[in-house]
Amino acid sequence: MKKEKTKIPVYFHTKQMEFHPKYEWALGNRIKHPESTKRAESIFKAIKSHKELFDLKEPERIPLASIRANHSYELVTLYNSAASLPDGQAFYPSVFPDKKKSRPDPTNIKHAGFYCFDSGTPLDSKTWLAASWSAASAYAAGEEIYKGRSSVAYAISRPPGHHASKDSYGGYCYFNNAAIVAKLLKKKGRVVILDIDFHHGNGTQEVFYKDDKVLTISIHGDPRDYFPFFWGFSSEIGAGKGEGYNLNVILPPKTKFPAYKKALLETVFPTIKRFEPDYLILSAGFDTYKLDPVGDFLLETSDFEKIGKLISSLDLPTVVLQEGGYFTKDLGKNAVSLLRGFV
Ligand code: OKP
Ligand code: ZN
């Protein structure tokens, strides 16, 4: 009898494609919004062209309880308010009040800035729809691992999640998909979240900052020069019980694979092994790619497979979640390359 090789389950829902952020500002210039649906299209196409590797699936609706367990009532209310904006209108917050000196009303879309930390992340009538289906894809991939059905699963989670915290959004992120999956897996064991997006995963860090059962690690460009600017320094190590359970690794501009590998082997992996996790969530951004218009590292397509192989050598059941990556044309092949490292 011929034994069939198990394929990697990949989750995606077409409703994730109904949200179209139009533009944002870059040093005074209006630019096309980097987080376009072309990104998910590129990945979807690449996944579909590798039927021998992947089993493409549609998620079920995410239980509202698992969103509520991760995000404040007010934030969810705000997204719900945005859902009744007229078609084609988007709200870009421009007033960000001092949280201690203001009284927000999440049923008033004009108050969105209270819940947001950057001006490039719009809300419109479809944001909630796309973001909740993105979270549903992540959750479904998480369930594959939770139920022991697969050793690795991937979600084309677009819009991404790692900048969103319990009660705020920004950096193109609305729901923290990694945190939602971590809270599921945490019921069965110790969880490490490794964030390899070019940007610091400030939302994920914040959610688990005082948690000693979820280790959060992010490798990224220097926050003094790159988004999200205020978080991601090596001095941020966790607090309370969570002290020692957050690790930030900063790499210089133009980082190539050898230095990236060194950081993984000498800093990241020893920390993970000491923690003795049961599960790994990989926040996978591809804005570390050499041609990425947003990030500033110099990784090649073939490097992602090597990174995947290195990470899979940790031998942990792994949920891979899509985060950033803005060189759309090569995004699909970069994602496939990373996942190939796991087979
Ligand atoms: C998201 B992810 C200024 C916004 C600057 C934000 C980058 C967000 C990256 N309005 N750009 O981590 O790939
Ligand atoms: Zn990024």
Side-chain angles (χ1 to χ4, degrees), residues 77-89:
T77 301
L78 178 74
Y79 296 162
N80 194 43
S81 310
S84 47
L85 278 165
D87 267 353
Q89 283 191 25

Side-chain angles (χ1 to χ4, degrees), residues 162-163 197-199 285 287 294 324-326:
H162 70 151
H163 296 301
D197 185 279
F198 176 80
H199 303 95
D287 36 12
V294 178
Y326 305 97

Side-chain angles (χ1 to χ4, degrees), residues 283-339:
S283 269
F286 299 91
D287 36 12
T288 51
Y289 183 48
K290 62 176 179 186
L291 296 176
D292 195 274
V294 178
D296 228 343
F297 291 169
L298 291 174
L299 299 183
E300 317 254 354
T301 298
S302 59
D303 294 335
F304 292 112
E305 179 168 353
K306 295 178 203 155
I307 289 168
K309 205 174 229 109
L310 287 170
I311 293 171
S312 82
S313 76
L314 292 167
D315 206 21
L316 293 165
T318 300
V319 184
V320 181
L321 301 178
Q322 184 60 42
E323 302 285 0
Y326 305 97
F327 190 78
T328 305
K329 188 165 94 48
D330 295 346
L331 183 56
K333 67 179 183 191
N334 287 343
V336 167
S337 178
L338 178 82
L339 292 166

Side-chain angles (χ1 to χ4, degrees), residues 192-209:
V192 56
I193 305 176
L194 174 58
D195 189 322
I196 59 170
D197 185 279
F198 176 80
H199 303 95
H200 175 239
N202 60 297
T204 312
Q205 166 173 304
E206 185 177 323
V207 172
F208 299 107
Y209 209 61

Side-chain angles (χ1 to χ4, degrees), residues 127-149:
T127 311
W128 155 270
L129 182 74
S132 60
W133 281 106
S134 180
S137 287
Y139 187 82
E143 275 193 313
E144 294 272 357
I145 302 306
Y146 184 75
K147 294 179 176 163
R149 295 196 177 131

